[in-house]
Amino acid sequence: MLPNFIMIGAMKSGTSSLHHYLDEHPEISMSYPKELDFFIEERRWSKGFDWYASHFSKAATIRGESSVGYTQRHKYAGVAERIHAMNPELKLLYLLRDPVERLESHFTQLSLMGLEPRDFPAVLDALPGSDYVLTSSYHYQLSAFLAFFPLEQIQILTLEELVRDKVGTIQKVFRFLGVEDS
């Protein structure tokens, strides 16, 4: 049993929260763990489709996963092509956030994990073409998917709308996925 939809990012934009909210719906089963990163060749692609399918409930009508690495095309090539080859009818959710706030949150996370040795001013000096900027370059990231999937199969949301109107935003996602929205 493979997924019917994938949440493709962006990191630090509320994907963990939305993953949890969707998993609460009786018709939806989300993967565990959240970020399978299966379609990233450098990570788990070699594990094969049997491994991937083992993370989804056979009983669920709608199955999904969330991997923010899928919208880091500057680091991982071929993700959209591999997803499309698996299921050209798949629906995609792309959760975004104010790009500057996303960048700050990304920096904070890496700093707390000890993975970013620079201070914030040094990071700002190195911004053009950096991982921070490219991850927040939403059109650049989404264009890889638009080469394979029509816009009708992609639901674009923002963290800001999820925070402002959680119920309405989640109902919008439920309607997009074709499940009961009440």
Side-chain angles (χ1 to χ4, degrees):
M1 304 275 7
L2 296 171
N4 313 84
F5 76 95
I6 296 176
M7 190 179 336
I8 56 174
M11 68 181 304
K12 310 312 297 171
S13 295
T15 58
S16 294
S17 295
L18 187 56
H19 184 96
H20 171 75
Y21 300 148
L22 294 175
D23 203 32
E24 294 295 310
H25 193 288
E27 295 176 73
I28 300 174
S29 177
M30 299 299 292
S31 69
Y32 181 83
K34 174 188 162 235
E35 297 197 26
L36 297 176
D37 291 332
F38 176 68
F39 294 98
I40 298 174
E41 187 172 25
E42 300 85 343
R43 294 205 177 155
R44 298 196 179 98
W45 180 247
S46 64
K47 290 186 177 281
F49 279 100
D50 288 341
W51 175 87
Y52 187 55
S54 74
H55 292 84
F56 300 100
S57 168
K58 292 181 175 106
T61 306
I62 302 295
R63 296 167 302 284
E65 72 131 318
S66 307
S67 292
V68 298
Y70 295 164
T71 46
Q72 293 180 341
R73 71 185 278 203
H74 56 286
K75 294 184 344 187
Y76 310 115
V79 169
E81 294 98 316
R82 286 188 282 280
I83 291 173
H84 184 265
M86 177 198 68
N87 181 357
E89 304 300 317
L90 188 88
K91 292 185 178 184
L92 301 168
L93 298 175
Y94 192 22
L95 190 57
L96 314 175
R97 178 181 189 178
D98 175 281
V100 174
E101 290 179 12
R102 197 219 62 77
L103 184 151
E104 291 172 345
S105 182
H106 186 174
F107 167 80
T108 300
Q109 179 185 20
L110 293 180
S111 294
L112 292 172
M113 294 171 67
L115 300 174
E116 176 56 79
R118 300 171 293 177
D119 62 11
F120 197 61
V123 166
L124 293 177
D125 287 340
L127 278 184
S130 74
D131 180 47
Y132 293 108
V133 170
L134 292 172
T135 301
S136 289
S137 298
Y138 303 133
H139 180 267
Y140 168 71
Q141 299 298 342
L142 187 59
S143 65
F145 289 89
L146 289 170
F148 294 93
F149 294 94
L151 192 55
E152 298 79 42
Q153 287 175 232
I154 304 171
Q155 177 74 64
I156 301 170
L157 307 162
T158 66
L159 173 63
E160 292 79 10
E161 77 182 293
L162 183 61
V163 168
R164 184 179 59 252
D165 181 15
K166 180 168 59 174
V167 172
T169 303
I170 293 169
Q171 286 177 320
K172 182 174 159 180
V173 173
F174 290 161
R175 288 189 294 275
F176 174 71
L177 296 176
V179 296
E180 175 59 46
D181 71 351
S182 62

